[in-house]
Amino acid sequence: MLVESPPEPRAATAPAPPNRRATRAVGLLVSVGILVIVALASIAIGARGLSLEQVWHGLFEASGTYGDTVVADRLSRTLLGVLAGAALGLAGAVLQALTRNPLADPGLLGINAGASAAVVTAITFLGVTSLSGYVWFAFCGAAAVGALVWFLGGSRGATPVRLALAGTAISAALYGYLQAVMILDEAALGRMRFWTVGSLTSATDETIVQVLPFMAVGMALALSLARPLNAMAMGDDTAKALGANLNRTRALAMLAATVLCGAATAACGPIVFVGLMVPHVVRSFTGPDLRWILPYATVLSPVLLLGADVIGRVVARPAELQVGIVTALLGGPVFIFLVRRRRTAQL
């Protein structure tokens, strides 16, 4: 991907008028309301039809009936979708700011590839078969690749171009390894096929408990970087003049994105385009200020992920279409549109 030039300085730092800030705040509250509605739809709508009475009973008066069990499964699935969507959207927004490339996503720095390669290795060579077993391999793989990209990108001297090039090269190598192992080992291919497309179907309370601490830390860290990333968007020299510590900000941004994307990928598999689409769309109505982009991306990314999951349950009844496939089908045309629009704007 081409690295875009940084935005004009005033666009990144000029304070918004009071009426615009109020509009953004109201919009954020509306976004939270939309998320609540989509989450309720995720619990109520599925491949197996349930009445509203059954859904209500399963939520508040569970007694072990078939409907209660289905609602409990959907509730875990919805909670994981909210967490994973928020993590992917926030990671995408941070990486777009870090690389100064509005078309960047968590896959750009090889984090998805690292998690996938680690899971394939665990299944093929170590005999790990349970989700609770390879969650940790996925997370460690993502963290290892994040550290390697930071090192190859120049560590303290890292620049957006170096980080993007290092991530692209590592991703290509790891995906080649992943495909080779899966082709040579049919058993691994069978166990991995659902995980590699991205899915929420295996969501359990245990999985949520395992990834929740990492996601909470990553979200807190990412949201705290809004101001220094705003300064970096104005250029390195200006950011230094404003007192921003470039090396520390880049290192913390890499850490936050790695933790968020690694935890989401570990729990759900490599889900694409969520971290690309939502921050880019959010930027179109919030402007370049990351103090608003990051909260909006945190709220609206789960809307996209849960909405795609609901669509996947409905269109293929009584079977299900995995959420990673739906987001890819939705994201492909959107990505092409965004690229063409940017090219047109540059002409």
Side-chain angles (χ1 to χ4, degrees), residues 103 334-346:
L103 298 180
V334 172
F335 181 75
I336 294 173
F337 169 76
L338 294 176
V339 172
R340 288 182 61 86
R341 190 177 72 170
R342 292 195 65 81
R343 290 184 61 184
T344 302
Q346 292 172 354

Side-chain angles (χ1 to χ4, degrees), residues 12-26:
T13 58
N19 59 338
R20 190 174 184 186
R21 289 199 297 269
T23 301
R24 288 170 172 172
V26 172

